[in-house]
């Protein structure tokens, strides 16, 4: 990553190594970051909490009526697909090793 880059993660906390991020911030490799998801949610690395170059928000990236409705419809479709077809429409990384027996 280019020195001085800004990191923003609103996707999944598990994609970030918070210890490595704290070190990169301290060394100036990363100039700042914004997070609304955390590696070990709800715990947040103290080196992020205490750093003025870090913007931390509660996990609120999906707090709109439209997004909530879309997530509900997607979830219903995912359950239906699992029950009717024996597969999920989408899997998150944490589910990659799960088997589903219809």
């Amino acid at each position: 990553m280019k020195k001085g880059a800004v990191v923003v993660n609103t996707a999944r906390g598990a994609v970030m190594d918070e210890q490595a991020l704290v070190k990169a911030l301290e060394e100036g490799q990363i100039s700042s970051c914004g997070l609304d998801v955390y590696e070990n949610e709800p715990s947040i690395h103290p080196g992020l909490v205490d750093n003025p170059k870090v913007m931390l928000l509660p996990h609120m990236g999906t707090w709109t009526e439209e997004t909530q409705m879309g997530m509900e419809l997607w979830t219903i479709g995912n359950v239906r697909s699992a029950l009717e077809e024996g597969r999920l429409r989408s899997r998150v990384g944490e589910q990659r090793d799960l088997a589903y027996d219809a």
Side-chain angles (χ1 to χ4, degrees):
M1 207 177 289
K2 182 178 174 184
K3 187 172 177 77
V6 175
V7 171
V8 176
N9 183 18
T10 61
R12 292 209 157 278
V15 302
M16 296 297 262
D17 176 340
E18 289 181 0
Q19 179 65 42
L21 180 58
V22 167
K23 183 178 179 195
L25 284 160
E26 290 170 350
E27 295 174 353
Q29 182 64 36
I30 301 297
S31 65
S32 62
C33 74
L35 308 171
D36 89 335
V37 290
Y38 308 97
E39 183 178 13
N40 297 301
E41 208 164 309
S43 298
I44 303 172
H45 192 291
L48 296 172
V49 174
D50 296 334
N51 193 320
K53 297 177 183 177
V54 176
M55 173 64 71
L56 302 173
L57 297 171
H59 192 159
M60 59 188 246
T62 61
W63 288 4
T64 66
E65 190 173 318
E66 297 83 4
T67 301
Q68 290 291 318
M69 177 66 77
M71 289 171 27
E72 290 170 7
L73 293 171
W74 184 266
T75 300
I76 291 166
N78 213 15
V79 170
R80 181 175 287 138
S81 178
L83 294 173
E84 294 173 357
E85 301 170 25
R87 64 181 181 83
L88 297 172
R89 292 170 57 189
S90 62
R91 283 187 176 185
V92 294
E94 294 87 350
Q95 297 172 323
R96 73 179 158 270
D97 297 326
L98 294 180
Y100 177 77
D101 297 321

